[in-house]
Amino acid sequence: MDYKVRSIQLLSLPVYLLSYLGLWDPLCKKIFPYVMAKCSTIYNRKLFQQKKDLFSSLGEFAGPSMELRLLEIGTGSGANFQFYPPGCRVTCTDPNPNFERFLLKSISDSPHLHFERFLVASGEDLCPVADDSMDVVVCTLVLCSVRSIEQVLREVLRVLRVGGALYFLEHVAADHSSWGYFWQQIYNPTWRYLGDGCCLTRETWKDLEKAGFSELKLQHIHAPLSWNPTRPHIIGYAQASHQRLPDCHPCRDWQGAPHGLLPQARAWSAGARSCRCPL
């Protein structure tokens, strides 16, 4: 075990040196989209069924016009486009403009969607997006690397119409008593540099529980990935409240939640409670 830890420290030394010199961050911003474009293909293949089940109910959140207005935070290369329903009107955001090349290819491969615009913006500051303007917000493998999950969720609640929903799929911290969590802590300092700020030990479900959604449907799963530190995931959706929330705008009438999301989950609960339900 000491050998593994020392090997990780030795291999990460050049990264720390470049970071100290102020050279790593701009280099990572350019390289990261290429790495993620490859990883996203593998990730989609291994979690295809989970994503298909998750997004199968998106259409139930369409507004009165029957058009689904969808905002994706941290769109990256556009790996989720294939799971969105035909006719969906998509607004893409990402803080890294170097994803543009890969995003344009995904857009050209997705004629079933209507793309509104692409915003170079972080999840903490979505000011170009109007209040109450979205039926659905999608966030996958993003909350692990944002500066403030609380602020991102506040922005999500601002842009969602009442009865709209946040769909999420995120890797999270393992159980604190497990070896998985031990290795997450060992890898995390270097992982944050290599993953453009990605953190392995975030307990994101706690932020979702405290955010003020009227309903939270969340499942803990172990993703079928060979890279163990990122296997613990949460998956589900959270519905925007019909009540006035702190730092958000007044709400309108609440609309019901969709049915049939993730049928393999056993103990869905209302009132922003979560459950641990293995696949």
Side-chain angles (χ1 to χ4, degrees):
M1 186 176 299
D2 288 341
Y3 171 77
K4 288 184 178 180
V5 174
R6 291 185 181 279
S7 297
I8 294 168
Q9 293 172 337
L10 183 62
L11 291 172
S12 61
L13 185 60
V15 175
Y16 283 100
L17 179 60
L18 288 171
S19 177
Y20 178 77
L21 296 173
L23 301 174
W24 176 251
D25 189 62
L27 180 63
C28 182
K29 287 286 190 292
K30 292 182 178 180
I31 296 174
F32 189 66
Y34 290 85
V35 175
M36 281 304 298
K38 296 290 185 184
C39 291
S40 294
T41 301
I42 299 171
Y43 186 87
N44 269 2
R45 185 173 67 249
K46 294 194 173 185
L47 279 90
F48 179 83
Q49 192 59 50
Q50 287 88 343
K51 279 193 168 187
K52 182 180 177 182
D53 290 342
L54 173 65
F55 294 127
S56 64
S57 62
L58 279 175
E60 297 183 31
F61 283 105
S65 66
M66 300 310 295
E67 285 187 330
L68 182 70
R69 300 166 301 170
L70 185 150
L71 170 69
E72 182 167 357
I73 299 175
T75 307
S77 61
N80 290 326
F81 292 166
Q82 63 179 293
F83 301 100
Y84 296 161
C88 179
R89 308 193 74 87
V90 182
T91 298
C92 306
T93 72
D94 201 284
N96 189 344
N98 295 304
F99 273 107
E100 182 180 13
R101 169 186 171 183
F102 305 99
L103 181 62
L104 290 175
K105 183 180 185 306
S106 294
I107 289 174
S108 67
D109 292 340
S110 306
H112 65 295
L113 303 176
H114 298 291
F115 292 93
E116 300 287 313
R117 54 180 173 164
F118 174 76
L119 303 172
V120 179
S122 68
E124 292 92 342
D125 185 8
L126 299 172
C127 58
V129 183
D131 298 357
D132 308 314
S133 61
M134 294 293 163
D135 300 307
V136 169
V137 175
V138 172
C139 196
T140 62
L141 303 183
V142 171
L143 297 178
C144 57
S145 59
V146 298
R147 295 187 305 275
S148 170
I149 297 178
E150 180 183 0
Q151 178 59 27
V152 172
L153 296 179
R154 191 176 293 126
E155 281 288 82
V156 168
L157 285 166
R158 178 184 66 80
V159 303
L160 276 175
R161 66 165 175 81
V162 177
L166 166 68
Y167 278 69
F168 55 86
L169 174 61
E170 299 286 340
H171 71 79
V172 293
D175 188 285
H176 285 202
S177 63
S178 68
W179 278 106
Y181 185 68
F182 169 81
W183 284 111
Q184 283 179 332
Q185 291 179 301
I186 295 295
Y187 290 132
N188 194 54
T190 303
W191 186 270
R192 296 188 75 150
Y193 281 108
L194 298 177
D196 197 17
C198 177
C199 179
L200 291 170
T201 57
R202 287 189 174 176
E203 298 175 330
T204 307
W205 65 90
K206 294 183 179 180
D207 296 280
L208 287 162
E209 290 168 351
K210 295 184 296 184
F213 292 99
S214 63
E215 185 172 11
L216 174 60
K217 303 209 172 186
L218 181 153
Q219 183 186 11
H220 287 257
I221 66 172
H222 284 279
L225 303 172
S226 56
W227 187 244
N228 186 58
T230 58
R231 288 188 68 195
H233 275 55
I234 56 172
I235 185 171
Y237 76 86
Q239 193 160 19
S241 175
H242 61 294
Q243 299 176 345
R244 186 177 178 87
L245 298 169
D247 300 309
C248 295
H249 288 268
C251 296
R252 297 184 293 273
D253 294 333
W254 178 67
Q255 299 179 13
H259 301 285
L261 176 64
L262 298 176
Q264 69 270 32
R266 288 202 303 264
W268 293 127
S269 59
R273 295 191 299 270
S274 63
C275 61
R276 286 183 175 267
C277 306
L279 285 179

